[in-house]
PDB file of all heavy atoms in Angstrom:
ATOM      1  N   GLU B 329      91.309 120.780 138.940  1.00  0.00           N
ATOM      2  CA  GLU B 329      91.803 119.734 139.940  1.00  0.00           C
ATOM      3  C   GLU B 329      92.230 120.598 141.211  1.00  0.00           C
ATOM      4  O   GLU B 329      92.814 121.480 141.095  1.00  0.00           O
ATOM      5  CB  GLU B 329      93.000 119.018 139.428  1.00  0.00           C
ATOM      6  CG  GLU B 329      92.460 117.885 138.432  1.00  0.00           C
ATOM      7  CD  GLU B 329      93.533 116.966 138.104  1.00  0.00           C
ATOM      8  OE1 GLU B 329      94.471 116.807 138.763  1.00  0.00           O
ATOM      9  OE2 GLU B 329      93.243 116.139 137.108  1.00  0.00           O
ATOM     10  N   ARG B 330      91.735 119.946 142.299  1.00  0.00           N
ATOM     11  CA  ARG B 330      92.064 120.537 143.613  1.00  0.00           C
ATOM     12  C   ARG B 330      91.630 121.973 143.751  1.00  0.00           C
ATOM     13  O   ARG B 330      92.230 122.739 144.576  1.00  0.00           O
ATOM     14  CB  ARG B 330      93.555 120.372 143.910  1.00  0.00           C
ATOM     15  CG  ARG B 330      93.993 118.959 144.092  1.00  0.00           C
ATOM     16  CD  ARG B 330      95.419 118.827 144.642  1.00  0.00           C
ATOM     17  NE  ARG B 330      96.392 119.345 143.660  1.00  0.00           N
ATOM     18  CZ  ARG B 330      96.934 118.622 142.711  1.00  0.00           C
ATOM     19  NH1 ARG B 330      96.571 117.427 142.460  1.00  0.00           N
ATOM     20  NH2 ARG B 330      97.762 119.250 141.875  1.00  0.00           N
ATOM     21  N   ARG B 331      90.578 122.391 142.926  1.00  0.00           N
ATOM     22  CA  ARG B 331      90.130 123.837 143.059  1.00  0.00           C
ATOM     23  C   ARG B 331      88.616 123.682 143.210  1.00  0.00           C
ATOM     24  O   ARG B 331      87.960 122.989 142.452  1.00  0.00           O
ATOM     25  CB  ARG B 331      90.500 124.692 141.943  1.00  0.00           C
ATOM     26  CG  ARG B 331      92.081 124.753 141.818  1.00  0.00           C
ATOM     27  CD  ARG B 331      92.415 125.892 140.864  1.00  0.00           C
ATOM     28  NE  ARG B 331      92.197 127.195 141.360  1.00  0.00           N
ATOM     29  CZ  ARG B 331      92.524 128.329 140.849  1.00  0.00           C
ATOM     30  NH1 ARG B 331      93.067 128.257 139.664  1.00  0.00           N
ATOM     31  NH2 ARG B 331      92.250 129.517 141.316  1.00  0.00           N
ATOM     32  N   LYS B 332      88.082 124.495 144.116  1.00  0.00           N
ATOM     33  CA  LYS B 332      86.640 124.398 144.263  1.00  0.00           C
ATOM     34  C   LYS B 332      86.072 125.483 143.466  1.00  0.00           C
ATOM     35  O   LYS B 332      86.619 126.659 143.357  1.00  0.00           O
ATOM     36  CB  LYS B 332      86.316 124.574 145.706  1.00  0.00           C
ATOM     37  CG  LYS B 332      86.743 123.353 146.493  1.00  0.00           C
ATOM     38  CD  LYS B 332      86.031 123.269 147.870  1.00  0.00           C
ATOM     39  CE  LYS B 332      86.184 121.906 148.482  1.00  0.00           C
ATOM     40  NZ  LYS B 332      85.225 121.480 149.385  1.00  0.00           N
ATOM     41  N   VAL B 333      84.848 125.284 142.937  1.00  0.00           N
ATOM     42  CA  VAL B 333      84.272 126.238 142.035  1.00  0.00           C
ATOM     43  C   VAL B 333      83.014 126.808 142.793  1.00  0.00           C
ATOM     44  O   VAL B 333      82.213 126.128 143.318  1.00  0.00           O
ATOM     45  CB  VAL B 333      83.809 125.554 140.761  1.00  0.00           C
ATOM     46  CG1 VAL B 333      83.004 126.470 139.907  1.00  0.00           C
ATOM     47  CG2 VAL B 333      85.140 125.113 139.964  1.00  0.00           C
ATOM     48  N   ARG B 334      82.932 128.144 142.744  1.00  0.00           N
ATOM     49  CA  ARG B 334      81.961 128.873 143.558  1.00  0.00           C
ATOM     50  C   ARG B 334      80.831 129.274 142.586  1.00  0.00           C
ATOM     51  O   ARG B 334      79.646 129.202 142.899  1.00  0.00           O
ATOM     52  CB  ARG B 334      82.567 130.133 144.064  1.00  0.00           C
ATOM     53  CG  ARG B 334      81.548 131.111 144.590  1.00  0.00           C
ATOM     54  CD  ARG B 334      82.318 132.395 145.024  1.00  0.00           C
ATOM     55  NE  ARG B 334      81.321 133.350 145.533  1.00  0.00           N
ATOM     56  CZ  ARG B 334      80.782 133.385 146.625  1.00  0.00           C
ATOM     57  NH1 ARG B 334      81.235 132.612 147.610  1.00  0.00           N
ATOM     58  NH2 ARG B 334      79.812 134.262 147.009  1.00  0.00           N
ATOM     59  N   LEU B 335      81.205 129.620 141.319  1.00  0.00           N
ATOM     60  CA  LEU B 335      80.233 130.081 140.366  1.00  0.00           C
ATOM     61  C   LEU B 335      80.600 129.607 138.952  1.00  0.00           C
ATOM     62  O   LEU B 335      81.674 129.578 138.551  1.00  0.00           O
ATOM     63  CB  LEU B 335      80.226 131.661 140.364  1.00  0.00           C
ATOM     64  CG  LEU B 335      79.443 132.471 139.285  1.00  0.00           C
ATOM     65  CD1 LEU B 335      78.996 133.743 139.864  1.00  0.00           C
ATOM     66  CD2 LEU B 335      80.293 132.734 138.062  1.00  0.00           C
ATOM     67  N   LEU B 336      79.550 129.279 138.204  1.00  0.00           N
ATOM     68  CA  LEU B 336      79.661 128.912 136.790  1.00  0.00           C
ATOM     69  C   LEU B 336      78.784 129.741 135.950  1.00  0.00           C
ATOM     70  O   LEU B 336      77.741 130.186 136.389  1.00  0.00           O
ATOM     71  CB  LEU B 336      79.227 127.478 136.549  1.00  0.00           C
ATOM     72  CG  LEU B 336      80.249 126.348 136.886  1.00  0.00           C
ATOM     73  CD1 LEU B 336      79.540 125.009 136.460  1.00  0.00           C
ATOM     74  CD2 LEU B 336      81.589 126.491 136.086  1.00  0.00           C
ATOM     75  N   GLY B 337      79.257 130.109 134.764  1.00  0.00           N
ATOM     76  CA  GLY B 337      78.484 130.940 133.849  1.00  0.00           C
ATOM     77  C   GLY B 337      78.717 130.399 132.468  1.00  0.00           C
ATOM     78  O   GLY B 337      79.677 129.799 132.112  1.00  0.00           O
ATOM     79  N   VAL B 338      77.643 130.665 131.621  1.00  0.00           N
ATOM     80  CA  VAL B 338      77.774 130.396 130.262  1.00  0.00           C
ATOM     81  C   VAL B 338      77.223 131.529 129.490  1.00  0.00           C
ATOM     82  O   VAL B 338      76.180 132.173 129.820  1.00  0.00           O
ATOM     83  CB  VAL B 338      76.854 129.077 129.802  1.00  0.00           C
ATOM     84  CG1 VAL B 338      76.647 128.993 128.355  1.00  0.00           C
ATOM     85  CG2 VAL B 338      77.485 127.832 130.361  1.00  0.00           C
ATOM     86  N   ALA B 339      77.971 132.075 128.385  1.00  0.00           N
ATOM     87  CA  ALA B 339      77.475 133.093 127.645  1.00  0.00           C
ATOM     88  C   ALA B 339      77.659 132.806 126.129  1.00  0.00           C
ATOM     89  O   ALA B 339      78.491 132.060 125.831  1.00  0.00           O
ATOM     90  CB  ALA B 339      78.386 134.379 127.845  1.00  0.00           C
ATOM     91  N   LEU B 340      76.523 133.198 125.475  1.00  0.00           N
ATOM     92  CA  LEU B 340      76.563 133.044 123.951  1.00  0.00           C
ATOM     93  C   LEU B 340      76.761 134.390 123.313  1.00  0.00           C
ATOM     94  O   LEU B 340      76.175 135.378 123.708  1.00  0.00           O
ATOM     95  CB  LEU B 340      75.180 132.420 123.581  1.00  0.00           C
ATOM     96  CG  LEU B 340      74.781 131.093 124.094  1.00  0.00           C
ATOM     97  CD1 LEU B 340      73.377 130.840 123.719  1.00  0.00           C
ATOM     98  CD2 LEU B 340      75.646 130.073 123.399  1.00  0.00           C
ATOM     99  N   SER B 341      77.618 134.397 122.379  1.00  0.00           N
ATOM    100  CA  SER B 341      77.840 135.694 121.665  1.00  0.00           C
ATOM    101  C   SER B 341      78.147 135.405 120.174  1.00  0.00           C
ATOM    102  O   SER B 341      77.872 134.319 119.764  1.00  0.00           O
ATOM    103  CB  SER B 341      79.004 136.480 122.344  1.00  0.00           C
ATOM    104  OG  SER B 341      80.172 135.658 122.400  1.00  0.00           O
ATOM    105  N   SER B 342      78.600 136.464 119.481  1.00  0.00           N
ATOM    106  CA  SER B 342      78.730 136.451 117.998  1.00  0.00           C
ATOM    107  C   SER B 342      77.250 136.043 117.515  1.00  0.00           C
ATOM    108  O   SER B 342      77.059 134.996 116.746  1.00  0.00           O
ATOM    109  CB  SER B 342      79.663 135.338 117.503  1.00  0.00           C
ATOM    110  OG  SER B 342      80.942 135.536 117.917  1.00  0.00           O
ATOM    111  N   LEU B 343      76.357 136.942 117.865  1.00  0.00           N
ATOM    112  CA  LEU B 343      74.942 136.591 117.571  1.00  0.00           C
ATOM    113  C   LEU B 343      74.513 137.095 116.216  1.00  0.00           C
ATOM    114  O   LEU B 343      75.025 138.103 115.775  1.00  0.00           O
ATOM    115  CB  LEU B 343      74.013 137.225 118.702  1.00  0.00           C
ATOM    116  CG  LEU B 343      74.413 136.822 120.127  1.00  0.00           C
ATOM    117  CD1 LEU B 343      73.610 137.712 121.072  1.00  0.00           C
ATOM    118  CD2 LEU B 343      73.961 135.373 120.320  1.00  0.00           C
ATOM    119  N   ALA B 344      73.776 136.273 115.587  1.00  0.00           N
ATOM    120  CA  ALA B 344      73.160 136.708 114.295  1.00  0.00           C
ATOM    121  C   ALA B 344      71.734 136.348 114.159  1.00  0.00           C
ATOM    122  O   ALA B 344      71.383 135.339 114.760  1.00  0.00           O
ATOM    123  CB  ALA B 344      74.071 136.197 113.187  1.00  0.00           C
ATOM    124  N   SER B 345      70.996 136.900 113.331  1.00  0.00           N
ATOM    125  CA  SER B 345      69.709 136.517 113.031  1.00  0.00           C
ATOM    126  C   SER B 345      69.812 135.222 112.231  1.00  0.00           C
ATOM    127  O   SER B 345      70.507 135.302 111.144  1.00  0.00           O
ATOM    128  CB  SER B 345      68.941 137.633 112.398  1.00  0.00           C
ATOM    129  OG  SER B 345      67.832 136.983 111.702  1.00  0.00           O
ATOM    130  N   PRO B 346      69.182 134.125 112.602  1.00  0.00           N
ATOM    131  CA  PRO B 346      69.440 132.958 111.764  1.00  0.00           C
ATOM    132  C   PRO B 346      69.008 133.018 110.325  1.00  0.00           C
ATOM    133  O   PRO B 346      69.610 132.269 109.500  1.00  0.00           O
ATOM    134  CB  PRO B 346      68.474 131.858 112.545  1.00  0.00           C
ATOM    135  CG  PRO B 346      67.991 132.472 113.605  1.00  0.00           C
ATOM    136  CD  PRO B 346      68.183 133.947 113.570  1.00  0.00           C
ATOM    137  N   SER B 347      68.181 133.941 110.052  1.00  0.00           N
ATOM    138  CA  SER B 347      67.723 134.109 108.660  1.00  0.00           C
ATOM    139  C   SER B 347      68.791 134.610 107.708  1.00  0.00           C
ATOM    140  O   SER B 347      68.803 134.398 106.508  1.00  0.00           O
ATOM    141  CB  SER B 347      66.487 134.963 108.435  1.00  0.00           C
ATOM    142  OG  SER B 347      66.834 136.253 108.975  1.00  0.00           O
ATOM    143  N   CYS B 348      69.855 135.228 108.333  1.00  0.00           N
ATOM    144  CA  CYS B 348      71.042 135.684 107.507  1.00  0.00           C
ATOM    145  C   CYS B 348      71.784 134.531 106.883  1.00  0.00           C
ATOM    146  O   CYS B 348      72.235 134.611 105.827  1.00  0.00           O
ATOM    147  CB  CYS B 348      71.958 136.519 108.374  1.00  0.00           C
ATOM    148  SG  CYS B 348      71.137 138.063 108.929  1.00  0.00           S
ATOM    149  N   ASN B 349      72.017 133.513 107.745  1.00  0.00           N
ATOM    150  CA  ASN B 349      72.803 132.404 107.305  1.00  0.00           C
ATOM    151  C   ASN B 349      71.833 131.322 106.686  1.00  0.00           C
ATOM    152  O   ASN B 349      71.145 130.651 107.470  1.00  0.00           O
ATOM    153  CB  ASN B 349      73.625 131.802 108.327  1.00  0.00           C
ATOM    154  CG  ASN B 349      74.619 130.750 107.825  1.00  0.00           C
ATOM    155  OD1 ASN B 349      74.580 130.528 106.584  1.00  0.00           O
ATOM    156  ND2 ASN B 349      75.323 130.138 108.733  1.00  0.00           N
ATOM    157  N   ARG B 350      71.757 131.184 105.497  1.00  0.00           N
ATOM    158  CA  ARG B 350      70.834 130.331 104.897  1.00  0.00           C
ATOM    159  C   ARG B 350      71.377 129.011 104.382  1.00  0.00           C
ATOM    160  O   ARG B 350      70.696 128.346 103.586  1.00  0.00           O
ATOM    161  CB  ARG B 350      70.001 131.148 103.847  1.00  0.00           C
ATOM    162  CG  ARG B 350      69.365 132.344 104.330  1.00  0.00           C
ATOM    163  CD  ARG B 350      68.880 133.164 103.170  1.00  0.00           C
ATOM    164  NE  ARG B 350      69.802 133.287 102.110  1.00  0.00           N
ATOM    165  CZ  ARG B 350      70.146 134.387 101.581  1.00  0.00           C
ATOM    166  NH1 ARG B 350      69.719 135.476 101.966  1.00  0.00           N
ATOM    167  NH2 ARG B 350      71.091 134.432 100.579  1.00  0.00           N
ATOM    168  N   GLN B 351      72.567 128.728 104.789  1.00  0.00           N
ATOM    169  CA  GLN B 351      73.289 127.511 104.558  1.00  0.00           C
ATOM    170  C   GLN B 351      72.508 126.295 104.848  1.00  0.00           C
ATOM    171  O   GLN B 351      72.178 126.192 106.014  1.00  0.00           O
ATOM    172  CB  GLN B 351      74.668 127.473 105.057  1.00  0.00           C
ATOM    173  CG  GLN B 351      75.387 126.217 104.703  1.00  0.00           C
ATOM    174  CD  GLN B 351      75.727 126.035 103.230  1.00  0.00           C
ATOM    175  OE1 GLN B 351      76.204 126.857 102.599  1.00  0.00           O
ATOM    176  NE2 GLN B 351      75.368 124.844 102.701  1.00  0.00           N
ATOM    177  N   ILE B 352      72.140 125.362 104.122  1.00  0.00           N
ATOM    178  CA  ILE B 352      71.528 124.099 104.505  1.00  0.00           C
ATOM    179  C   ILE B 352      72.458 123.043 104.781  1.00  0.00           C
ATOM    180  O   ILE B 352      73.482 122.945 104.239  1.00  0.00           O
ATOM    181  CB  ILE B 352      70.516 123.674 103.250  1.00  0.00           C
ATOM    182  CG1 ILE B 352      69.474 124.777 103.039  1.00  0.00           C
ATOM    183  CG2 ILE B 352      69.950 122.355 103.577  1.00  0.00           C
ATOM    184  CD1 ILE B 352      68.734 124.549 101.638  1.00  0.00           C
ATOM    185  N   ASP B 353      72.153 122.405 105.927  1.00  0.00           N
ATOM    186  CA  ASP B 353      73.042 121.265 106.418  1.00  0.00           C
ATOM    187  C   ASP B 353      72.654 120.001 105.924  1.00  0.00           C
ATOM    188  O   ASP B 353      71.520 119.482 106.026  1.00  0.00           O
ATOM    189  CB  ASP B 353      73.043 121.404 107.938  1.00  0.00           C
ATOM    190  CG  ASP B 353      74.238 120.515 108.506  1.00  0.00           C
ATOM    191  OD1 ASP B 353      74.076 119.363 108.644  1.00  0.00           O
ATOM    192  OD2 ASP B 353      75.229 121.152 108.827  1.00  0.00           O
ATOM    193  N   LEU B 354      73.598 119.228 105.441  1.00  0.00           N
ATOM    194  CA  LEU B 354      73.309 117.907 104.876  1.00  0.00           C
ATOM    195  C   LEU B 354      72.732 117.014 105.797  1.00  0.00           C
ATOM    196  O   LEU B 354      71.724 116.240 105.468  1.00  0.00           O
ATOM    197  CB  LEU B 354      74.697 117.415 104.328  1.00  0.00           C
ATOM    198  CG  LEU B 354      74.725 116.105 103.423  1.00  0.00           C
ATOM    199  CD1 LEU B 354      75.825 116.242 102.448  1.00  0.00           C
ATOM    200  CD2 LEU B 354      74.842 114.814 104.237  1.00  0.00           C
TER     201      LEU B 354
END
Side-chain angles (χ1 to χ4, degrees):
Chain B
E329 283 194 15
R330 292 190 296 275
R331 295 193 73 171
K332 292 195 166 205
V333 174
R334 172 186 174 86
L335 171 149
L336 277 180
V338 165
L340 296 170
S341 54
S342 306
L343 303 170
S345 159
S347 61
C348 292
N349 188 3
R350 302 172 316 232
Q351 176 67 51
I352 296 168
D353 192 278
L354 190 148

